[in-house]
């Protein structure tokens, strides 16, 4: 259901969107549609989701498509959120990621992790997020901070790896509005996030993410959503122009630029003690990025637990 202005139980249903770098590597885990609204004190949820990412090729710095370098990723993500006060919630989460290089030719580094064309798996980055609601009701404004840290010293060289093994710190703000004058079933939300990424070889690689979402409550239980996602990297290496030394080549997978925009759609269905959701996101355009698509499905169990 749409978040209500006051009273009752406000629901936050997770809806993961975006690319592996923009979603699962981002500190704090996947974004939820209703991030502009914070659940009331004592309300929380446990969310499990799976995400399939089909990387269909690389986009070079000039935007041209390199059809080689295809890979697949599957992630299982678990997150717990709890509202410690009416305007403050905390969440923690971690993904377990499977990665496979499929070619058709050899990977750029021709590493054993890619040459075997087999699946590799492991825990990725642990994330924690705090959200503070400044304005609630029909219009909501909620800034947040998040921190992500690698769960262990996993491999980051190659295509078939579970992540970049970098610490990240994110500042974000979400704004949402119920468009009651148009329809009480309609709501929109926007987000801006700036992520500070741990530098490698003194190369800056911070990024900005902007998203817009519109949700329509088809029935009391069923909601559908449209998604628009942008990412801009502030720095990073251009491929192949900036790969000028053996060390830059060895580290390039965790230092590349990734500028893109994507479109998607999603739906969720809610019961009193269970939410299910799914989304599909397609690459539209970009440079120094992966083309491809992302499919996400998950389930969330809301709960209430009052601290004494």
């Amino acid at each position: 259901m749409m978040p209500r202005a006051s009273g009752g139980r406000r629901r936050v249903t997770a809806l993961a969107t975006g690319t592996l770098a923009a979603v699962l590597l981002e500190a704090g885990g996947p974004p939820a549609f209703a991030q502009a609204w914070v659940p009331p004190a004592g309300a929380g949820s446990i969310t499990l989701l799976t995400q399939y990412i089909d990387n269909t090729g690389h986009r070079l710095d000039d935007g041209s498509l390199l059809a080689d370098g295809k890979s697949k990723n599957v992630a299982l993500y678990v997150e717990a959120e709890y509202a410690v006060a009416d305007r403050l919630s905390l969440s923690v989460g971690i993904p377990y990621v499977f990665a496979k290089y499929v070619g058709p030719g050899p990977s750029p580094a021709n590493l054993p992790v890619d040459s075997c064309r087999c699946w590799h798996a492991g825990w990725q980055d642990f994330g924690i997020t705090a959200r503070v609601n400044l304005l609630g009701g029909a219009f909501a404004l909620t800034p947040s901070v998040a921190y992500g840290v690698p769960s262990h010293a996993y491999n980051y060289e190659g295509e078939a790896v579970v992540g970049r093994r970098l610490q990240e710190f994110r500042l974000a703000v979400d704004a949402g509005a119920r468009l009651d004058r148009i329809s009480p079933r309609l709501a929109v939300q926007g987000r801006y996030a700036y992520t500070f990424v741990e530098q490698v070889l003194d190369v800056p690689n911070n990024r900005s993410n902007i998203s817009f979402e519109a949700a329509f409550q088809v029935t009391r239980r069923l909601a559908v959503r449209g998604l628009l996602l942008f990412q801009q990297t502030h720095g990073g290496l251009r491929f192949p122009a900036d790969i000028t030394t053996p060390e830059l080549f060895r580290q390039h997978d965790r230092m590349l630029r990734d500028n893109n925009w994507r479109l998607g759609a999603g739906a969720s269905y809610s019961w009193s003690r269970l939410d299910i959701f799914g989304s599909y996101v397609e690459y539209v355009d970009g440079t120094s990025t992966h083309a491809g698509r992302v499919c996400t499905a998950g389930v969330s169990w809301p709960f209430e637990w009052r601290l004494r």
Side-chain angles (χ1 to χ4, degrees):
M1 297 180 67
M2 295 295 180
R4 294 190 288 268
S6 61
R9 182 183 180 187
R10 289 171 291 178
R11 302 288 297 279
V12 180
T13 302
L15 183 61
T17 57
T19 66
L20 183 68
V23 178
L24 296 178
L25 291 179
E26 188 171 274
F33 170 77
Q35 291 284 53
W37 290 269
V38 174
S45 63
I46 303 295
T47 299
L48 299 175
L49 68 83
T50 182
Q51 189 171 70
Y52 170 72
I53 302 174
D54 181 18
N55 293 314
T56 57
H58 289 281
R59 287 285 178 178
L60 302 181
D61 192 56
D62 61 1
S64 60
L65 177 64
L66 179 64
D68 207 348
K70 299 178 181 179
S71 61
K72 298 183 184 297
N73 301 93
V74 177
L76 304 175
Y77 182 82
V78 58
E79 181 185 76
E81 181 185 30
Y82 182 71
V84 298
D86 280 338
R87 295 183 178 270
L88 173 64
S89 74
L90 302 175
S91 62
V92 294
I94 187 171
Y96 191 84
V97 178
F98 300 82
K100 178 182 180 179
Y101 180 72
V102 297
S107 68
N110 199 24
L111 297 171
V113 69
D114 297 328
S115 300
C116 72
R117 300 293 203 275
C118 54
W119 288 99
H120 301 271
W123 294 104
Q124 198 200 70
D125 301 341
F126 176 81
I128 181 169
T129 303
R131 299 190 293 131
V132 180
N133 180 241
L134 300 181
L135 297 173
F139 176 80
L141 184 68
T142 300
S144 63
V145 296
Y147 175 65
V149 60
S151 60
H152 65 288
Y154 55 77
N155 177 36
Y156 56 81
E157 294 184 55
E159 297 284 334
V161 295
V162 302
R164 298 190 300 171
R165 212 174 85 190
L166 298 175
Q167 297 183 68
E168 299 188 351
F169 178 76
R170 184 186 71 217
L171 299 173
V173 61
D174 292 88
R178 295 194 344 261
L179 303 182
D180 292 343
R181 291 188 177 182
I182 300 174
S183 171
R185 298 173 177 265
L186 183 63
V188 294
Q189 175 176 286
R191 155 178 279 223
Y192 174 76
Y194 189 91
T195 304
F196 300 88
V197 182
E198 178 184 355
Q199 289 191 10
V200 179
L201 302 178
D202 296 323
V203 176
N205 200 24
N206 298 341
R207 67 176 180 270
S208 290
N209 289 93
I210 300 173
S211 65
F212 299 98
E213 305 181 39
F216 185 76
Q217 198 76 37
V218 181
T219 69
R220 190 173 67 88
R221 299 184 184 277
L222 175 64
V224 295
R225 299 176 172 91
L227 316 168
L228 178 60
L229 309 167
F230 298 90
Q231 178 168 293
Q232 178 71 40
T233 305
H234 308 291
L237 299 178
R238 297 171 298 164
F239 186 84
D242 293 334
I243 315 300
T244 57
T245 69
E247 182 63 15
L248 286 173
F249 184 78
R250 190 178 75 85
Q251 300 262 15
H252 78 276
D253 285 305
R254 64 203 312 220
M255 301 165 65
L256 290 177
R257 293 183 183 180
D258 189 351
N259 302 325
N260 65 77
W261 70 279
R262 300 171 188 262
L263 288 172
S268 60
Y269 196 90
S270 300
W271 291 271
S272 60
R273 297 186 179 276
L274 180 69
D275 299 330
I276 60 174
F277 56 90
S279 67
Y280 176 85
V281 174
E282 182 76 28
Y283 166 88
V284 177
D285 197 12
T287 60
S288 298
T289 188
H290 281 95
R293 56 195 60 90
V294 182
C295 298
T296 302
V299 60
S300 182
W301 293 271
F303 65 86
E304 293 184 2
W305 180 54
R306 294 283 180 176
L307 295 175
R308 294 183 180 273

